[in-house]
Amino acid sequence: MSTDSPISLWDMSAEEPDIRNPMAGDVETDVAIVGGGFTGLSTALFCAEKGLSAHVLEAKHIGFGGSGRNVGLVNAGVWHPPAAVREKLGDTYGPRFVTRFGEGPAQVFDLIEKHQIRCEVTKTGTIHAAHAPSGFEDLKARHAEWARLGEPVDLLSPDEMVEKTGTSAFYGGLLDHRAGTINPMGYCRGLARAAKGAGAEISTGVCATNLRRDGKKWVVETDKGTVRANYVVLGTNAYSDALWPDLNRVFTMIHYFQLATKPLKGNMSHILPGRQGIWDTGQIMFSIRRDAHDRLVIGSMGTVVGSVGRGLSHRWAKKNLARLYPELGPVEFEEAWHGQIAMTPDHLPRIYQLAPNLLTPIGYNGRGITTGTIFGECMANLISGMDPADLPLPMTELSTVPSAPIMSRLYQTAFTANQILKSF
């Protein structure tokens, strides 16, 4: 655990040690990577494995942004069902994207196994839960598509949901056997350890302040010195700032908060016995999972309002746990936190070429674990000479993409914790 105040339960409980390393003077490298989360660290790992020198610059500490605040669901695919992805991306990229992102959890699990990352991994799937009859109809259609593609996804009846979750609150569900759960900070720190072991450099507490060209090289100016590189990858996603003009206009930033109970006591083995993580079909999404230490972690859209033991977020969590599991009785919480999610207008991620040899994957729409890992490999492949036409989705220039529409105002006002509480 870091010596700073923990940013999440995962920051407190991750078994993988934190990596702190200040930057000492100016640096020259093949690839400079801004951001020490899933994207930046996987980019560094895959680059190093290809024999490229890579240097990660993290303004705070490893996993400080969305990676260390994630729910920890290792989901396959994206928000859209496969047919909608094909419709949006076309006949060439659509099937390729569906296949590649369907394989995302397997890639994450393979990295965890290969590098022996201690992150409380489960491989029992995740469940998309129907919050209403209309939600179950949507899940039936999704199941039909995945079944046609031969993927291991089961449609669960209400009775089967009771068996899997321990609550009768849902109208059915979709169990994806490809998926699972992890301690996301543990995974992030494990990627950092693996990247360093492969030869990458990581500097923490280093804030990138400016990007400029110097001949054929990029220069990343920081508050601790400069980094000269052939390529730069911005791996900041929802935590992007003004380092590159207008980058944050292409997504809508929303918050997602979580509260973790103290470990369950008594005979509560019926509650999420397989430890599948759950998220629901409601417009104002919520999630719940049971971690390796028998805590229940429950969350929804908004920021933490109040402290761990009191306030609006605390009342929301108590109310919803009582709705789902009245047998729990009074519950105590030991940690509360929130993070930022980058939502795109079409709920699909992006890979931008901002300028020659300057790349950024962005807009993960709440699927950071798999998307960050997949795109980290894509960055390394592009830098090594892969044809951009072989990516799982088209690479575009920032100037060709319109700003995210004013739906951002909907997210940032309607999805406050107060509105969430009123919606239940």
Side-chain angles (χ1 to χ4, degrees), residues 246-324:
D246 294 332
L247 182 58
N248 58 9
R249 71 178 172 85
V250 302
F251 65 86
T252 295
M253 192 276 285
I254 65 170
H255 288 98
Y256 199 90
F257 75 92
Q258 299 174 74
L259 284 89
T261 70
K262 292 185 176 181
L264 301 181
K265 296 180 180 179
N267 184 17
M268 296 296 171
S269 59
H270 64 289
I271 297 177
L272 298 171
R275 300 186 191 274
Q276 291 92 355
I278 295 176
W279 81 104
D280 77 342
T281 57
Q283 182 182 14
I284 301 175
M285 186 183 69
F286 102 107
S287 62
I288 187 168
R289 58 170 294 196
R290 182 172 182 163
D291 81 348
H293 305 283
D294 292 330
R295 304 178 185 91
L296 293 180
V297 183
I298 184 170
S300 190
M301 292 177 172
T303 57
V304 173
V305 180
S307 64
V308 176
R310 61 174 61 89
L312 191 58
S313 303
H314 174 261
R315 294 198 298 274
W316 175 89
K318 286 186 65 174
K319 179 179 179 179
N320 280 279
L321 285 178
R323 175 178 65 90
L324 295 169

Side-chain angles (χ1 to χ4, degrees), residues 20-21 23 36 38 60 98 116 123 131 166 175 192 216 250 272 311 319-320 334 342 353 370 399 402:
R20 299 293 180 107
N21 187 51
M23 192 171 89
F38 301 136
K60 300 292 186 179
V98 169
Q116 292 296 290
K123 301 179 185 179
H131 78 295
L175 171 60
K216 294 183 178 181
V250 302
L272 298 171
K319 179 179 179 179
N320 280 279
E334 66 175 62
Q353 177 155 327
T370 47
S399 60

Side-chain angles (χ1 to χ4, degrees), residues 35 50 80 93 97 117 139 147 160 166 179 186 199 214 279 284 290 298 317 321 357 372 388 400:
K50 290 177 178 294
H80 296 296
Y93 285 105
F97 185 97
I117 298 174
L139 296 182
E160 290 171 321
D214 183 11
W279 81 104
I284 301 175
R290 182 172 182 163
I298 184 170
L321 285 178
N357 295 0
T400 66

Side-chain angles (χ1 to χ4, degrees), residues 332-412:
E332 293 183 74
F333 297 93
E334 66 175 62
E335 194 63 42
W337 68 98
H338 64 261
Q340 297 169 194
I341 297 174
M343 301 289 289
T344 58
D346 59 5
H347 288 177
L348 289 174
R350 307 275 195 271
I351 295 177
Y352 292 127
Q353 177 155 327
L354 303 175
N357 295 0
L358 175 59
L359 302 166
T360 186
I362 203 166
Y364 294 177
N365 297 281
R367 295 292 175 94
I369 297 170
T370 47
T371 307
T373 304
I374 290 169
F375 281 172
E377 183 177 38
C378 289
M379 295 300 99
N381 288 341
L382 284 170
I383 292 167
S384 299
M386 183 183 77
D387 188 336
D390 293 331
L391 287 168
L393 77 173
M395 185 168 68
T396 57
E397 295 181 3
L398 184 63
S399 60
T400 66
V401 179
S403 299
I406 302 301
M407 72 169 190
S408 60
R409 295 181 182 174
L410 168 65
Y411 278 122
Q412 295 193 23

